[in-house]
Amino acid sequence: MRFLFIHQNFPGQFLHIIRHLGRNPENEIVFISEVNESAIENVRRVLYRIARAPEVRSMPGLHEYELGLLRAEAVARAARNLKALGFTPDVIIGHHGWGELLDIKDVYPNTPLLGYFEFFYHTKGYDVDFDPEFPLEADLLPVVRQKNAVNLLALNLNEHGQTPTDFQLKTYPSWARPQINLIREGVNLKHCRPDPNAARRPLEINGHIFAPEKKLVTYVARNLEPYRGFHSFMRALPRLLAERPDVEVAIVGGDSVSYGRLPGKGFPNWREALLAELGGRLDLTRTHFLGQVTYPLYLKLLQRSDAHIYLTYPFVASWSLREALAIGCPIVGSDTQPVREFIKNGETGLLTSCLDPDAITGSILQILTDRELSNKLSRNARREAEAHLDLDVYLNHYERIISDVARF
């Protein structure tokens, strides 16, 4: 079978499925993307470059829309070259969010398309009006609505869609949901597994050694920002560290902003802004900013964690939440829609307010103090992952959907 994948950042959300499909020698996989250094065995890369940058003087909403159209144009150009070389796929799989798929049916009109629908934006009830600390200015409400321009054009293609959670599916209008398949993403349960001996040995990361006699609280995000509750977590730390002298905190994440706004007052990132706000109240000898770490070290950190904190606005849940469940971390999660889909309060984790530092501290202290509760949450988290997050089950379901789409 011939597959054409499309995502500007190879391999994007498609890492596991293309590895899975690539193990079958009868499959041919081509991936159109922008330039990066990633490589996967048995996957042929085709690179695209947009012809120009969007107009800098355009309205804010138009800038993102124009970039999507430029990507669509560039991908179609790359696909035409591919078609001229004799490649016609049996199915096209890609991410709708970047606009790259909007013109692909002009090149391959008879090839079915399975597009990834990640999130439909709203001015109320979801992420943009969630945190009263960052109210949305009235003149930005149209910009939020305009972010759905590519989404709406993609839905108008009237092709097949996919999304990984109920929460994400329900962000889309009711009339759009019938064309979107729910394919729940899984994790590798063999790699992401508990290590009962992790707490008995030292763990060294970036030159710091986490000793066995210390309790370890972990926080992970791609970037340290309010959308992932970083501001609330940081404000929870002074009390936590004061009440528990045996605790160390490991924070993994970069200093860019993936979602939401930049910090004000001239701060280059949210880490420095929160450090300045907390001043001398935060014990930096026990708070460790590890930056971005390798995947094996990240897994070892979670295996060593005595309490893992996962916070998010009502937005797309991170893979790290699934991986933390599979590893059996005792989790403190935000009581928000995307997290409630994965965690049952008191059974597979503790849910607390994403915006209340005292509540976050209280939940962490509860896990660190109550060993019976901690062990229960850890066991149940792993069982939940085994029941609902098995990578093999996910891949088999995904492959069945692909086969159905290809035969459509």
Side-chain angles (χ1 to χ4, degrees):
M1 193 168 175
R2 286 183 157 191
F3 298 88
L4 176 60
F5 284 86
I6 301 170
H7 191 299
Q8 52 94 18
N9 185 25
F10 171 79
Q13 282 86 353
F14 308 119
L15 171 65
H16 295 302
I17 188 63
I18 60 176
R19 280 180 174 169
H20 175 71
L21 296 171
R23 295 187 188 106
N24 184 343
E26 296 183 1
N27 289 335
E28 183 178 358
I29 302 171
V30 176
F31 203 118
I32 296 178
S33 76
E34 290 191 302
V35 177
N36 67 21
E37 296 180 358
S38 299
I40 297 176
E41 189 177 2
N42 299 324
V43 178
R44 180 154 54 106
R45 299 281 304 278
V46 174
L47 305 179
Y48 78 83
R49 292 177 176 81
I50 61 173
R52 59 175 177 82
E55 295 290 340
V56 294
R57 295 182 180 178
S58 64
M59 296 174 63
L62 286 177
H63 186 276
E64 187 171 325
Y65 178 58
E66 185 180 10
L67 181 57
L69 298 184
L70 289 166
R71 289 187 186 281
E73 179 184 65
V75 166
R77 186 164 55 246
R80 287 190 185 95
N81 292 335
L82 193 59
K83 187 176 183 179
L85 293 172
F87 182 83
T88 296
D90 296 302
V91 65
I92 300 166
I93 302 171
H95 194 304
H96 277 304
W98 308 101
E100 295 165 310
L101 305 181
L102 293 178
D103 298 344
I104 196 67
K105 293 290 290 185
D106 298 336
V107 183
Y108 292 116
N110 299 317
T111 300
L113 169 65
L114 178 60
Y116 193 104
F117 287 101
E118 188 163 22
F119 192 76
F120 196 89
Y121 293 90
H122 297 259
T123 56
K124 292 194 73 64
Y126 289 87
D127 54 326
V128 297
D129 72 332
F130 176 72
D131 192 337
E133 185 173 342
F134 308 108
L136 185 70
E137 295 85 353
D139 59 352
L140 291 179
L141 291 171
V143 177
V144 175
R145 288 194 296 272
Q146 290 157 16
K147 288 173 73 69
N148 284 321
V150 169
N151 253 326
L152 292 166
L153 285 175
L155 290 166
N156 195 52
L157 292 173
N158 200 29
E159 288 285 325
H160 307 271
Q162 61 163 307
T163 200
T165 67
D166 284 311
F167 167 75
Q168 287 165 266
L169 178 63
K170 289 173 182 175
T171 66
Y172 282 83
S174 56
W175 55 263
R177 295 173 200 165
Q179 68 174 280
I180 304 175
N181 295 279
L182 180 60
I183 308 179
R184 298 187 185 280
E185 293 176 345
V187 297
N188 189 320
L189 297 178
K190 295 175 183 176
H191 293 161
C192 300
R193 66 183 189 277
D195 180 357
N197 297 314
R200 301 189 184 118
R201 56 179 180 260
L203 173 62
E204 181 176 353
I205 299 182
N206 294 351
H208 180 77
I209 297 176
F210 296 98
E213 63 271 16
K214 296 290 187 179
K215 292 291 187 180
L216 181 60
V217 172
T218 56
Y219 172 95
V220 174
R222 185 199 313 175
N223 285 299
L224 307 178
E225 55 196 341
Y227 255 63
R228 297 311 189 190
F230 176 66
H231 57 326
S232 300
F233 176 67
M234 285 287 285
R235 291 164 183 164
L237 292 183
R239 178 187 157 204
L240 172 67
L241 295 171
E243 294 192 22
R244 289 296 298 251
D246 61 335
V247 163
E248 291 197 74
V249 179
I251 299 172
V252 172
D255 283 330
S256 299
V257 173
S258 299
Y259 312 109
R261 64 184 71 188
L262 295 167
K265 299 181 180 178
F267 291 108
N269 54 63
W270 283 103
R271 176 177 55 84
E272 293 192 28
L274 269 297
L275 285 173
E277 175 189 319
L278 295 172
R281 293 189 293 127
L282 181 62
D283 185 350
L284 293 176
T285 67
R286 293 189 287 140
T287 305
H288 308 283
F289 294 92
L290 303 178
Q292 293 171 330
V293 302
T294 65
Y295 191 67
L297 279 179
Y298 155 75
L299 293 182
K300 288 182 179 179
L301 186 71
L302 291 190
Q303 288 171 329
R304 173 63 182 82
S305 180
D306 294 293
H308 179 67
I309 317 307
Y310 182 78
L311 309 172
T312 184
Y313 287 8
F315 196 61
V316 178
S318 311
W319 282 356
S320 65
L321 175 58
R322 298 169 174 88
E323 290 162 336
L325 284 163
I327 287 170
C329 292
I331 300 173
V332 173
S334 56
D335 191 9
T336 50
Q337 292 167 277
V339 181
R340 287 196 293 268
E341 189 166 337
F342 291 90
I343 292 179
K344 183 179 180 181
N345 188 37
E347 295 296 325
T348 54
L350 296 183
L351 296 178
T352 191
S353 170
C354 182
L355 306 179
D356 186 340
D358 278 339
I360 293 167
T361 304
S363 294
I364 298 171
L365 291 171
Q366 190 178 355
I367 285 177
L368 296 180
T369 303
D370 189 339
R371 179 173 292 183
E372 184 177 344
L373 173 65
S374 175
N375 290 338
K376 171 188 169 183
L377 297 180
S378 179
R379 288 192 307 270
N380 288 348
R382 175 65 185 186
R383 290 170 183 166
E384 175 71 13
E386 290 172 342
H388 300 293
L389 298 175
D390 189 317
L391 181 65
D392 292 333
V393 173
Y394 157 64
L395 292 173
N396 290 334
H397 181 208
Y398 204 154
E399 195 166 18
R400 288 196 301 272
I401 295 293
I402 292 172
S403 296
D404 290 344
V405 168
R407 289 195 297 266
F408 193 80

